[in-house]
């Protein structure tokens, strides 16, 4: 195994996760825990906390990357309604498993960040919506919350400051769409997890019709450190448009899959090679999905890129949830895409026609290519369908299915041709009775590449 | 619902106290629906018609509404599910690391397909989506417990242990 070339970078979010007892209050306090929250609640006004988070340029770690302080500032100041803070611990984007580590190994870090955030938006009720599968994380969080109540860190008089905050764990029950913030809020209200049209945005009209901030577990854990170490420290890490420490989840064909804490902007290839031990079995890299399956794919040639919001956007993809899925040279992309599309077809909540029908058809078309009954026209059909699904639905699950589809079909078109052609021997066109791939359907260049590919079979 | 009379279920005293506490955490009863369904699952081992009636009654909701919500979610243990729910992750990162083989081996060993339950009522096999543990793929959740870095060879032993 290659030596891990750990940067001088000091881990903060996962600093203690490998230590015994890291989840206990005693351990947390022993390492300076809750000092930041106490200072903030005693010395700062809510508005100043929001300004500081704005100034830090902390962007949401759940997927969309929206500036956290800006979102908080949308919460109306003058209102008779209660305000809510909801922690998004649904972590359901395929390839993402960082929030689980944070909750299982350092629950108080999240509680502290949530206290500061609730204080900033003047909320007295916080719900942590955790996916049903995460039972250990649920138990650990519940235990930490119980400890915090007992120690006067939660409840009527938070840390002796007179601020009141109640915190409740709320378990989901297996539905990807409950990670989408409005779907999550529906679920939390005791309904089916159906997303709602925005606006109104949750900050104005969210849970039970009241102003609500929804933030990801990692985002809120970052808040703790912004007030522990300061805004300037936070801004000194990575690019100015979205700085800070970042947890990246590396999975797939690498030697050492895992959650790695890195400075925002780390080169993707360095992450894969230095941290995750490189592509497994000494194979070559084929492609990487950089931000969970909802992100567009990068070919091996495109992977020399910084892992931050702007650099990835410049490559027409996104940081998303930080789920880095690595694929080696032997990966069949038709297979991979089918797996992705099947997921979205299964998880579509069914409210919007373009999403419900689109995800279903994309999966079916890709499935028939995979199983040898595809047609040449299917590729353009998939791209056309994917494009028509984008931007026309209540939530962006439709786009999340369309992005990987369009990018994989475009970038690995020849593999799809190969599958179609391989099937063309026994499957006949239902109209003409001839082979599905007509002679001359490919350009000379593509035909050559295709022959090469088939030669390799 | 069928013509057979539905058994009347009641929550235990401990569960009723928990519900009391739970209702204090939300501004209305409906919001406690998911946690109360969980509680029913824990109390009775799964959620059947009579549990739905009980939950509906407890939260002043209609049974039809509770059914509608329950069926939206895939992670509740339902009537007819085996003692052990074998939930094999089938999403891309697990697929890249061989979850198909795990699935196939379990199907062979148990003589059932995904979605089915063994005749002795011991095992239900399910194909599920990303369990949030892709760094230890392939992964399977058995009831609440995660089994990670699965090796096809280990499965026989695991099944034996579960059979007891
Ligand atoms: C289909 C879909 C699934 C999502 N799943 C998650 C999730 O599992 N966890 C999460 O934190 N955000 C998820 N999001 C993003 C949330 O809608 C929301 O942007 C996020 O919770 C905001 O928190 P942040 O600003 O701290 O990132 C999802 C979005 C979509 C469209
Ligand atoms: S886009 Fe899909 S998942 Fe989102 S609300 Fe519409 S149907 Fe539901
Ligand atoms: S894909 Fe199996 S745990 Fe994520």
């Amino acid at each position: 195994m290659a030596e891990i070339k750990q940067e001088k970078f000091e881990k903060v979010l996962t600093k203690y996760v490998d230590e015994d007892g890291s989840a206990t209050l005693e351990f947390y306090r022993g390492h300076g825990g809750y000092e930041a929250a106490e200072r903030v609640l005693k010395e700062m006004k809510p508005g100043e906390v929001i300004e500081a988070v704005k100034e830090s340029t902390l962007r949401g770690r759940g997927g969309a990357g929206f500036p956290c302080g800006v979102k908080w500032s949308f919460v109306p100041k003058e209102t008779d309604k209660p305000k809510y803070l909801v922690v998004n611990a649904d972590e359901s984007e395929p390839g993402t498993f960082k929030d689980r580590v944070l909750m299982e190994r350092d629950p108080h870090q999240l509680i502290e960040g949530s206290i500061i955030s609730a204080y900033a938006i003047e909320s007295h009720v916080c719900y942590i919506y955790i996916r049903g599968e995460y039972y250990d994380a649920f138990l650990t969080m519940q235990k930490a919350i119980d400890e915090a109540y007992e120690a006067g860190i939660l409840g009527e008089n938070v840390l002796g400051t007179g601020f009141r905050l109640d915190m409740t764990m709320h378990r989901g029950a297996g539905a990807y769409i409950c990670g989408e913030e409005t779907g999550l809020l529906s679920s939390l209200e005791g309904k089916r997890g159906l997303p709602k049209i925005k606006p109104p945005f949750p900050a104005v009209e969210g849970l039970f019709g009241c102003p609500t901030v929804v933030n990801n577990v990692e985002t809120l854990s970052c808040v703790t450190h912004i007030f522990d170490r300061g805004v300037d420290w936070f801004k000194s890490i990575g690019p100015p448009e979205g700085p800070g420490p970042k947890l990246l989840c590396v999975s797939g064909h690498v030697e050492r899959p895992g959650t790695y804490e890195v400075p925002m902007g780390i080169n993707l290839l360095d992450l894969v090679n230095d941290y995750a031990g490189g592509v497994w079995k000494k194979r070559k890299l084929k492609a990487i999905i950089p931000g969970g399956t909802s992100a567009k794919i990068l070919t091996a040639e495109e992977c020399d890129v910084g892992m931050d919001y702007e650099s990835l956007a410049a490559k027409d993809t996104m940081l998303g949830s930080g789920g880095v899925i690595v694929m080696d040279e032997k990966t069949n992309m038709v297979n991979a895409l089918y797996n992705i599309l099947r997921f979205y077809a299964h998880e579509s909540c069914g409210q919007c026609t373009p999403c419900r029908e689109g995800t279903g058809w994309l999966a079916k078309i890709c499935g028939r290519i995979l199983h040898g009954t595809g047609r040449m026209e299917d590729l353009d059909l998939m791209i056309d369908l994917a494009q028509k699904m984008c931007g026309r639905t209540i939530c962006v699950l439709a786009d999340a299915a369309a992005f990987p589809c369009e990018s994989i079909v475009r970038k690995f078109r020849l593999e799809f041709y190969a599958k179609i052609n391989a099937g063309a021997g026994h499957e006949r066109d239902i109209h003409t009775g001839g082979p599905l791939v007509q002679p001359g359907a490919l350009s000379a260049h593509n035909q050559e590449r295709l022959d090469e590919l088939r030669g390799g079979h | 619902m069928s013509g057979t009379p539905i058994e009347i279920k009641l929550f235990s005293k401990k569960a009723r106290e928990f519900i009391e506490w739970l209702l204090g955490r939300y501004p209305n009863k409906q919001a406690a629906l998911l946690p109360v369904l969980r509680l029913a699952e824990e109390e009775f081992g799964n959620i059947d018609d009579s549990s739905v009636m009980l939950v509906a009654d407890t939260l002043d909701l209609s049974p039809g509404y509770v059914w509608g919500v329950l069926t939206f979610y895939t992670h509740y243990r339902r009537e007819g599910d085996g003692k052990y729910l074998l939930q094999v992750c089938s999403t891309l990162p697990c697929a890249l690391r061989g979850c198909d083989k795990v699935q196939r081996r379990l199907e062979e060993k148990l003589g059932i397909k995904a979605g089915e339950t063994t005749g002795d009522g011991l095992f239900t096999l399910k194909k599920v989506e990303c369990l949030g543990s892709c760094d230890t793929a392939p992964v399977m959740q058995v009831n609440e417990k995660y089994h990670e870095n699965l090796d096809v060879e280990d499965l026989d032993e695991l099944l034996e242990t579960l059979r007891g």
Side-chain angles (χ1 to χ4, degrees):
Chain A
M1 265 184 206
E3 266 304 289
I4 303 187
K5 191 173 78 191
Q6 291 287 10
E7 306 282 323
K8 289 181 288 297
F9 176 68
E10 185 199 350
K11 293 195 272 185
V12 288
L13 294 167
T14 54
K15 185 169 183 176
Y16 300 116
V17 296
D18 294 327
E19 293 193 28
D20 286 341
S22 62
T24 62
L25 180 58
E26 194 191 344
F27 182 102
Y28 191 68
R29 283 213 131 151
H31 292 81
Y34 291 113
E35 285 171 14
E38 191 171 337
R39 212 168 34 244
V40 168
L41 268 54
K42 283 190 175 150
E43 295 170 11
M44 293 176 83
K45 293 202 179 66
E48 293 169 353
V49 181
I50 296 180
E51 282 311 310
V53 172
K54 264 193 194 165
E55 170 64 22
S56 76
T57 334
L58 167 64
R59 290 173 67 172
R61 305 301 200 227
F66 194 81
C68 184
V70 176
K71 175 151 72 185
W72 293 0
S73 67
F74 293 154
V75 176
K77 305 272 169 305
E78 309 298 326
T79 170
D80 302 335
K81 292 180 179 172
K83 298 168 191 171
Y84 295 103
L85 174 68
V86 176
V87 182
N88 190 341
D90 194 60
E91 188 149 75
S92 43
E93 175 74 13
T96 317
F97 38 86
K98 63 192 172 66
D99 297 343
R100 179 177 172 215
V101 182
L102 293 176
M103 290 188 286
E104 286 183 359
R105 304 299 309 165
D106 205 343
H108 288 285
Q109 173 176 258
L110 172 60
I111 297 174
E112 181 166 10
S114 305
I115 291 173
I116 298 172
S117 308
Y119 176 74
I121 61 164
E122 298 176 75
S123 158
H124 302 288
V125 183
C126 171
Y127 296 105
I128 300 180
Y129 186 100
I130 185 171
R131 59 179 299 182
E133 292 84 349
Y134 280 3
Y135 189 59
D136 286 348
F138 164 73
L139 293 179
T140 310
M141 283 305 309
Q142 187 60 58
K143 195 156 168 243
I145 290 173
D146 292 346
E147 271 185 309
Y149 266 103
E150 262 168 50
I153 293 165
L154 288 171
E156 285 303 316
N157 184 10
V158 172
L159 293 157
T161 61
F163 178 64
R164 175 171 58 81
L165 181 63
D166 278 314
M167 192 174 284
T168 306
M169 293 300 294
H170 190 101
R171 283 181 81 192
Y176 171 64
I177 198 57
C178 292
E180 195 282 332
E181 56 185 6
T182 58
L184 184 154
L185 295 177
S186 296
S187 178
L188 192 45
E189 288 169 352
K191 302 173 184 161
R192 309 181 122 214
L194 302 179
K196 290 178 221 150
I197 290 177
K198 294 186 266 195
F201 288 95
V204 179
E205 204 179 311
L207 191 61
F208 310 116
C210 302
T212 304
V213 162
V214 183
N215 270 133
N216 171 262
V217 169
E218 187 187 348
T219 313
L220 293 169
S221 299
C222 282
V223 168
T224 304
H225 299 285
I226 289 175
F227 291 95
D228 186 35
R229 295 174 181 237
V231 168
D232 291 338
W233 161 81
F234 192 81
K235 285 171 79 174
S236 72
I237 302 168
E241 300 86 3
K246 180 78 194 87
L247 299 184
L248 294 175
C249 313
V250 188
S251 66
H253 297 151
V254 290
E255 287 291 346
R256 281 192 302 271
T259 304
Y260 296 101
E261 183 171 348
V262 295
M264 191 72 89
I266 189 176
N267 184 284
L268 176 54
L269 290 174
D270 288 347
L271 172 77
V272 170
N273 293 323
D274 299 346
Y275 286 79
V279 180
W280 72 347
K281 302 179 180 174
K282 300 208 160 51
R283 288 189 193 154
K284 281 212 213 80
L285 177 66
K286 178 167 197 170
I288 300 181
I289 299 178
T293 51
S294 304
K296 292 188 185 175
I297 201 164
L298 295 170
T299 63
E301 297 74 37
E302 295 169 322
C303 288
D304 185 6
V305 59
M307 290 297 285
D308 58 79
Y309 303 98
E310 304 291 322
S311 306
L312 286 163
K315 294 252 182 187
D316 191 27
T317 182
M318 61 179 185
L319 185 61
S321 63
V324 176
I325 307 169
V326 179
M327 288 169 256
D328 72 16
E329 55 188 329
K330 297 208 168 177
T331 313
N332 182 292
M333 297 314 280
V334 184
N335 231 323
L337 179 60
Y338 179 64
N339 187 296
I340 294 174
L341 292 174
R342 190 194 46 84
F343 171 82
Y344 289 103
H346 181 254
E347 299 297 336
S348 167
C349 85
Q351 286 188 99
C352 322
T353 311
C355 174
R356 181 187 63 243
E357 301 299 317
T359 54
W361 275 105
L362 285 179
K364 269 185 215 159
I365 298 169
C366 189
R368 77 179 175 219
I369 296 176
L370 183 66
H371 296 115
T373 54
R375 306 165 197 166
M376 260 358 227
E377 312 87 84
D378 283 348
L379 299 187
D380 289 338
L381 182 60
M382 283 174 86
I383 289 177
D384 186 43
L385 190 55
Q387 283 171 345
K388 288 188 172 132
M389 284 161 65
C390 290
R392 289 182 164 81
T393 50
I394 296 174
C395 83
V396 292
L397 183 137
D399 307 59
F403 288 164
C405 179
E406 199 192 330
S407 63
I408 291 176
V409 172
R410 273 191 205 286
K411 292 179 184 179
F412 297 94
R413 197 174 258 267
L414 287 170
E415 270 182 57
F416 288 78
Y417 283 155
K419 277 275 181 206
I420 294 170
N421 232 19
H426 35 93
E427 289 292 335
R428 301 269 146 184
D429 188 299
I430 47 166
H431 299 298
T432 65
L436 282 170
V437 181
Q438 300 297 332
L442 296 181
S443 69
H445 171 73
N446 279 350
Q447 185 66 50
E448 228 170 76
R449 287 291 315 278
L450 181 57
D451 290 340
E452 250 174 65
L453 280 168
R454 289 158 101 192
H457 268 222
Chain B
M1 282 170 222
S2 64
T4 44
I6 292 179
E7 170 209 356
I8 306 282
K9 277 195 174 129
L10 290 174
F11 280 120
S12 66
K13 182 160 176 292
K14 199 170 150 238
R16 287 202 305 275
E17 282 167 12
F18 179 66
I19 293 170
E20 221 23 63
W21 174 84
L22 207 52
L23 291 177
R25 309 301 285 184
Y26 302 96
N28 63 41
K29 286 186 169 182
Q30 179 176 315
L33 178 51
L34 265 62
V36 172
L37 282 169
R38 267 301 166 202
L39 189 67
E41 182 189 43
E42 275 167 29
E43 286 259 298
F44 310 117
N46 65 36
I47 301 175
D48 62 5
D49 287 1
S50 57
S51 309
V52 167
M53 301 290 277
L54 174 63
V55 170
D57 203 44
T58 307
L59 298 177
D60 294 333
L61 298 165
S62 76
Y65 178 80
V66 175
W67 264 115
V69 174
L70 171 68
T71 51
F72 184 82
Y73 300 95
T74 56
H75 196 251
Y76 290 112
R77 180 184 282 274
R78 303 282 290 281
E79 191 178 10
D81 282 347
K83 182 170 174 208
Y84 297 107
L85 263 184
L86 310 180
Q87 305 167 83
V88 185
C89 176
S90 63
T91 313
L92 184 63
C94 276
L96 294 173
R97 295 188 77 109
C99 66
D100 287 9
K101 283 189 211 124
V102 171
Q103 180 82 28
R104 242 177 295 148
R105 180 62 156 252
L106 286 170
E107 288 182 353
E108 271 167 35
K109 291 292 289 183
L110 299 170
I112 52 172
K113 290 252 174 284
E116 296 175 351
T117 303
T118 51
D120 57 7
L122 216 46
F123 299 107
T124 297
L125 188 60
K126 272 182 150 186
K127 239 177 154 165
V128 297
E129 302 298 352
C130 183
L131 289 166
S133 188
C134 330
D135 53 340
T136 56
V139 184
M140 159 167 79
Q141 187 172 21
V142 181
N143 295 350
E144 301 285 18
K145 190 174 161 34
Y146 277 53
H147 294 262
E148 304 170 48
N149 294 309
L150 286 174
D151 195 321
V152 181
E153 308 305 320
D154 305 338
L155 291 173
D156 303 6
E157 207 186 306
L158 177 64
L159 291 182
E160 280 318 305
T161 324
L162 293 176
R163 282 200 175 98

